[in-house]
Amino acid sequence: EVAALAESVTPRVHLWAVLDTLEFAYRGGRVSAAQAWVGGLLQVKPILDIYDSKVVVGERVRTLHKAVTRLLQIVAEAGPLDEIGVIHAAAPELGAEVQRRLQASHPERNIVLVETGPAVGVHAGLGAVGVAVLRSA
């Protein structure tokens, strides 16, 4: 029953995440040293779009503040949502800020805040924040 339920909601699950640093993407071989250096210099914060087992760099935004604001816009544009959760990688203050801002625009929802485990944290890097949603059927 649990497996069937998980399979039935999988097409409705979507995650977007902002990376605070490209250092871990460089360490994992996803970007070159030059890309990581220039990205750090210009304060480029990629917004990852994770859906259907695919990870795509959706946008690249300069500064963390602008990237978080864009992340919230993306969630707002996602349509009707049944569930919303905020995920952070050793960034509880940033996670709480995202949670507060989402709660203000979705007062009817109980928006949970969780910290990632080490497997996700090693790829996303410290300071990453994301929003996971379950879209309405």
Side-chain angles (χ1 to χ4, degrees):
E1 287 180 28
V2 172
L5 177 61
E7 287 180 23
S8 73
V9 299
T10 297
R12 297 174 30 217
V13 174
H14 208 120
L15 170 69
W16 297 274
V18 173
L19 302 185
D20 186 39
T21 176
L22 294 173
E23 176 185 348
F24 293 86
Y26 164 68
R27 288 183 185 180
R30 300 192 191 312
V31 299
S32 70
Q35 288 173 316
W37 182 77
V38 170
L41 185 67
L42 298 176
Q43 297 184 42
V44 173
K45 310 299 180 193
I47 300 176
L48 303 181
D49 185 341
I50 304 165
Y51 177 71
D52 194 26
S53 301
K54 295 175 185 70
V55 179
V56 177
V57 176
E59 300 181 27
R60 292 171 181 87
V61 181
R62 292 197 56 207
T63 79
L64 184 59
H65 176 75
K66 289 179 185 175
V68 167
T69 297
R70 180 62 187 132
L71 172 67
L72 295 171
Q73 290 172 343
I74 291 168
V75 172
E77 295 165 0
L81 305 173
D82 285 342
E83 302 289 339
I84 305 171
V86 177
I87 306 159
H88 70 87
E93 296 86 11
L94 181 59
E97 175 192 340
V98 170
Q99 181 188 34
R100 276 191 305 276
R101 291 173 69 181
L102 282 168
Q103 195 69 66
S105 59
H106 298 87
E108 73 288 356
R109 297 281 176 241
N110 177 29
I111 299 172
V112 297
L113 174 64
V114 297
E115 186 169 14
T116 65
V120 173
V122 75
H123 294 288
L126 301 176
V129 66
V131 177
V133 302
L134 178 63
R135 292 184 171 154
S136 298

